[in-house]
Amino acid sequence: MASTNFCQSCSMPIDDPAMAGTEKNGAPSKEYCKYCYQQGAFTTPNMTLDEMRTVVKTEMEKRHIGQEIINLAVNTLPNLKRWRNSNN
């Protein structure tokens, strides 16, 4: 089974190259999705971890994803690269 890469900001799977964000030089990001990262910068640079928790939960609920999976995604956020050293 192939491993899955997850956005290091929102935890969304980014195995599909179309879902990858972009670096300053236009190359696909290996760490962040297109919703979180464009042209080498976060699309919402001042977002807090708590705000990201709300966004992730809301977007997953819109897609009728089960609560267990939503909880897993939200609880994973503090361990991702963007949030690891966050005080939120």
Side-chain angles (χ1 to χ4, degrees):
M1 184 169 173
S3 65
T4 300
N5 294 318
F6 294 92
C7 176
Q8 292 296 300
S9 176
C10 71
S11 77
M12 184 174 79
I14 53 171
D15 281 341
D16 180 349
M19 297 309 291
T22 55
E23 300 296 346
K24 283 184 182 182
N25 66 2
S29 172
K30 293 180 184 340
E31 296 184 314
Y32 300 105
C33 76
K34 67 181 185 178
Y35 301 110
C36 292
Y37 198 73
Q38 289 291 318
Q39 299 179 351
F42 290 113
T43 57
T44 53
N46 298 319
M47 179 177 272
T48 67
L49 175 57
D50 284 337
E51 290 169 333
M52 181 60 80
R53 283 181 176 120
T54 300
V55 168
V56 168
K57 185 175 189 258
T58 301
E59 290 301 316
M60 292 179 86
E61 285 173 344
K62 283 182 193 176
R63 290 165 178 75
H64 306 288
I65 294 172
Q67 194 60 49
E68 188 174 318
I69 301 299
I70 293 172
N71 290 342
L72 180 62
V74 169
N75 291 334
T76 297
L77 293 174
N79 300 314
L80 299 177
K81 184 175 180 179
R82 182 176 183 181
W83 309 111
R84 242 179 249 144
N85 297 320
S86 175
N87 292 326
N88 297 327

